[in-house]
Amino acid sequence: MKKLIYIKNNYIIQLIILLAIGIILLNTLFVYPIIGKCDNGDFGRLLLYGGLWDLSTTYEGIYDRFVHLNYIISKSHMFIFFGKNWVSGSILLKLAVFISLLLHQFDNRLFNIRYLAFVYSVIFLWGIFLIVNFKRLSTLLKAAVGICIILFFTDTSYISYFNSFYGEAGTIVFFFLNIGTYLNLITKEKPLIRHFVYFFIASAGFLTSKAQELPLLVFMLIIYAGLFIYYKEKNYRKCIIIGSLLVTILCSASYISLTDRMNQNNIYQSVFLGVLRGSSSPEKDLEELGVDKKFMVFYGKSFYNRHSGHDPVGEEMLKEFYPKVSPLKILVFYIKHPSRLWQKIVESAEGAYAFKTPGPWNFAKGQYAPNKAVNTFRTNLVNNYSKIHRNIFVFILFSLIYFTITLTYFIKNKNRDLRLLILMLLFILLSGASQLILPVIGSGHGDFGKHLFLLNFCYDIMVVIALVWLVHIILKIIRKNKFLDLVRK
């Protein structure tokens, strides 16, 4: 009885929020007809680590633009823990496959994708609980955070990834867990070592959830440095140093695991569908990159185009193109040509928020239900106000205001937990703003809308932060006015 009273007094808001989110997740991802994502060719990278195979054996069957619910389990492949194109989501997939086998007494070779959605949902809810439970939030602010998370992040444009093998699902849940474990850590007067460990695991999970997130290690190291500065005890600093090194090593290993084919794909697209795209002098651009202009035959053509008579991974390309081009070289090219850099930044803003309401491609074959009750609040906002969501000047203005306010708080306040909080707020800004150019450098305009996912996600998190901050300011003004009224009386 005492425990129930304690929970009611301390966690009632959190529980209400988790219950609401849980109901939305259950209805969207688990109750037929379920919503998910169809395979566009990326599933194979993760399927390997789960020891899973599509039930279909033909190209047309695998890529039929419908969600596939069931996959064949190959137990022998489950023991591949690290290999090519490794991402942190592979651990979660192995856990989901193990749960499936355990519940079927290791006697069923079929894996239902909802087991993976279950694992993602649990981590998602855990991260949200830690965020809403942040000690600096009043009851009203906890409610505001919860409502914003429900409206924005249970939208199908986000949670439909949970019923898929895309890396975006790992990005979502690990980023929330990264923020949640960090808030849980910095609000404790004397945190335990395990609280640091939780944060390092969550941050490693986020950074390695997709190859695209690996460069963000540079920004994460700033947070690690902040922890080192503000936690001076010897055991804390030892843990922080070890944790930082292990995360860096894991990120390096994940980068090294990228196959030659993936690196070639990214470089090819960053040049022929990036640097040369919209250029008035594409041949000159190739020569500036140190590449023979004879490779102009690939200009505007997809890496997967094998019908033009020119092979993107042919002998000439392998000897004379890929060894001469790198992401660093492409970055230097854009720095030398600021007008082209600006052009790409504008194009990134214009390609942001490629959100769509659920269509047949979000359902299993024959199960399309356009009237299924789901949350499309964020998607509708994007589609109804597309000029705001895809305007580079809106991105810049919002970023400057956000940065100025957070920096002002950092300068004016000396509290350890507040300054560390601001470091995380700045990390979210840097992670989002960097996506205006990093995807273009990394893979040009290939699958552009999907590669801008982190841009959308980070700026939505910042919008939620801004909305909650505004509620905080309004509440302060109301309390101040009430106090003044009492004084006058």
Side-chain angles (χ1 to χ4, degrees), residues 412-429:
K412 286 188 174 182
N413 293 276
K414 306 298 181 183
N415 293 344
R416 180 183 71 183
D417 59 337
L418 188 57
R419 282 199 160 185
L420 288 172
L421 169 63
I422 291 166
L423 284 183
M424 177 57 76
L425 300 183
L426 291 174
F427 172 79
I428 297 169
L429 171 62

Side-chain angles (χ1 to χ4, degrees), residues 319-391:
K319 286 184 178 180
E320 301 178 43
F321 176 76
Y322 295 112
K324 294 183 178 181
V325 186
S326 67
L328 180 59
K329 204 167 187 179
I330 292 167
L331 174 61
V332 170
F333 174 89
Y334 284 124
I335 292 173
K336 288 181 178 179
H337 301 273
S339 61
R340 300 286 298 283
L341 178 64
W342 172 249
Q343 174 196 358
K344 297 304 176 185
I345 291 173
V346 171
E347 289 175 356
S348 293
E350 292 172 347
Y353 288 103
F355 289 177
K356 294 180 181 178
T357 52
W361 51 87
N362 292 115
F363 294 84
K365 192 172 184 178
Q367 294 186 14
Y368 177 45
N371 296 322
K372 181 178 172 73
V374 293
N375 177 18
T376 55
F377 174 83
R378 191 70 187 102
T379 300
N380 292 336
L381 274 183
V382 169
N383 293 332
N384 292 334
Y385 304 97
S386 59
K387 290 183 179 179
I388 294 175
H389 288 86
R390 300 188 182 110
N391 187 318

Side-chain angles (χ1 to χ4, degrees), residues 62-344:
I62 296 172
Y63 305 111
D64 60 1
R65 299 199 69 202
F66 291 104
V67 174
H68 294 187
L69 303 179
N70 296 303
Y71 294 80
I72 299 173
I73 301 174
S74 173
K75 295 178 185 177
S76 61
H77 286 76
M78 281 187 63
F79 299 101
I80 301 174
F81 290 97
F82 194 90
K84 59 183 182 180
N85 301 323
W86 184 88
V87 291
S88 56
S90 63
I91 299 171
L92 303 185
L93 178 56
K94 283 187 185 298
L95 177 59
V97 173
F98 177 77
I99 292 172
S100 173
L101 289 170
L102 184 64
L103 291 177
H104 292 94
Q105 300 179 334
F106 295 88
D107 194 35
N108 186 357
R109 290 193 64 204
L110 277 185
F111 173 80
N112 190 290
I113 198 167
R114 289 177 297 174
Y115 284 104
L116 181 58
F118 170 76
V119 173
Y120 283 135
S121 296
V122 169
I123 299 175
F124 185 60
L125 290 167
W126 183 17
I128 289 170
F129 170 78
L130 291 173
I131 291 169
V132 177
N133 197 49
F134 183 42
K135 303 304 180 187
R136 277 188 167 269
L137 297 175
S138 66
T139 301
L140 284 174
L141 289 181
K142 289 180 191 294
V145 171
I147 291 169
C148 287
I149 289 175
I150 291 169
L151 292 175
F152 278 65
F153 299 109
T154 64
D155 187 288
T156 53
S157 290
Y158 285 119
I159 64 173
S160 59
Y161 279 104
F162 291 6
N163 269 327
S164 81
F165 298 99
Y166 288 118
E168 281 76 7
T171 296
I172 293 170
V173 302
F174 276 123
F175 205 176
F176 272 113
L177 191 62
N178 172 60
I179 296 170
T181 52
Y182 185 77
L183 297 181
N184 182 59
L185 166 65
I186 65 175
T187 51
K188 295 185 182 298
E189 187 62 34
K190 288 192 175 294
L192 302 174
I193 293 298
R194 61 184 171 89
H195 296 127
F196 287 93
V197 173
Y198 294 154
F199 168 63
F200 280 111
I201 290 173
S203 61
F206 166 66
L207 293 172
T208 58
S209 59
K210 288 189 68 180
Q212 185 179 335
E213 269 78 89
L214 292 174
L216 303 183
L217 172 64
V218 175
F219 304 140
M220 187 64 78
L221 288 174
I222 297 173
I223 289 184
Y224 295 165
L227 291 174
F228 184 84
I229 291 169
Y230 284 101
Y231 290 96
K232 303 180 185 301
E233 292 85 343
K234 188 176 180 181
N235 60 331
Y236 289 159
R237 287 192 162 181
K238 184 179 179 181
C239 177
I240 293 166
I241 291 172
I242 293 173
S244 303
L245 286 173
L246 289 177
V247 172
T248 302
I249 291 169
L250 184 63
C251 289
S252 301
S254 182
Y255 178 76
I256 292 169
S257 77
L258 297 177
T259 60
D260 290 339
R261 183 57 57 92
M262 180 177 280
N263 285 321
Q264 290 161 0
N265 179 13
N266 291 337
I267 290 173
Y268 177 95
Q269 294 191 129
S270 64
V271 173
F272 297 110
L273 299 179
V275 171
L276 305 189
R277 187 177 187 271
S279 172
S280 58
S281 54
E283 290 187 0
K284 185 179 177 183
D285 292 342
L286 270 185
E287 290 177 340
E288 188 170 338
L289 288 171
V291 177
D292 195 302
K293 62 183 181 181
K294 68 181 179 181
F295 291 111
M296 274 295 297
V297 293
F298 294 102
Y299 178 33
K301 294 183 175 63
S302 167
F303 180 79
Y304 300 102
N305 184 352
R306 301 289 191 271
H307 308 293
S308 63
H310 302 283
D311 188 357
V313 288
E315 187 177 347
E316 275 194 327
M317 289 287 282
L318 294 176
K319 286 184 178 180
E320 301 178 43
F321 176 76
Y322 295 112
K324 294 183 178 181
V325 186
S326 67
L328 180 59
K329 204 167 187 179
I330 292 167
L331 174 61
V332 170
F333 174 89
Y334 284 124
I335 292 173
K336 288 181 178 179
H337 301 273
S339 61
R340 300 286 298 283
L341 178 64
W342 172 249
Q343 174 196 358
K344 297 304 176 185

Side-chain angles (χ1 to χ4, degrees), residues 14-31:
Q14 294 91 314
L15 291 177
I16 291 172
I17 291 166
L18 293 184
L19 179 62
I21 294 173
I23 291 171
I24 295 172
L25 292 173
L26 182 66
N27 174 64
T28 307
L29 304 174
F30 300 94
V31 177

